[in-house]
Amino acid sequence: MALSATNFTVIESGAMGDLRYVAATMTGDASYATGGSVVTPKMLGFTTGILALLVSGAGSSLGSRLASPLKQTNGTFLLKLYTAITPTEMTNATNDSTSSYHILAFGR
């Protein structure tokens, strides 16, 4: 199962000049895909694209996961997850739905 808007709970959102920002909590994917999960602008309430995405672990993921957001040319991000101990990319189809992450995104 891929990430969707239901994985994100918005804590706060607003505007700074012509940029919008969203602070949210993201619940991990029920079946992580090797190569990363796609985060689209629509998932965070943006219409054009995501300019920056910051991620930190929280709750059950703290100390066990590293999240690496990788900007794509189409306005999306790939969110790759790594195990903090090894660090190697999380195994394909791993259930990460009990983990949560803090997200801060800027976009339009």
Side-chain angles (χ1 to χ4, degrees):
M1 176 187 257
L3 287 178
S4 70
T6 60
N7 290 83
F8 297 88
T9 303
V10 174
I11 299 166
E12 184 176 335
S13 65
M16 295 186 312
D18 68 339
L19 288 179
R20 291 188 26 79
Y21 69 89
V22 173
T25 300
M26 182 191 86
T27 303
D29 198 346
S31 182
Y32 177 79
T34 299
S37 299
V38 176
V39 179
T40 67
K42 187 175 181 177
M43 289 177 187
L44 297 170
F46 301 128
T47 56
T48 305
I50 303 169
L51 300 174
L53 181 68
L54 305 167
V55 183
S56 66
S60 60
S61 63
L62 189 60
S64 63
R65 302 272 190 259
L66 298 172
S68 177
L70 305 168
K71 185 163 178 51
Q72 306 299 293
T73 58
N74 64 357
T76 66
F77 270 80
L78 273 180
L79 188 59
K80 290 183 84 167
L81 300 178
Y82 297 86
T83 57
I85 296 171
T86 43
T88 55
E89 186 176 3
M90 192 177 348
T91 307
N92 190 52
T94 298
N95 183 352
D96 191 44
S97 64
T98 60
S99 297
S100 61
Y101 303 87
H102 293 299
I103 304 286
L104 177 61
F106 295 90
R108 294 189 172 98

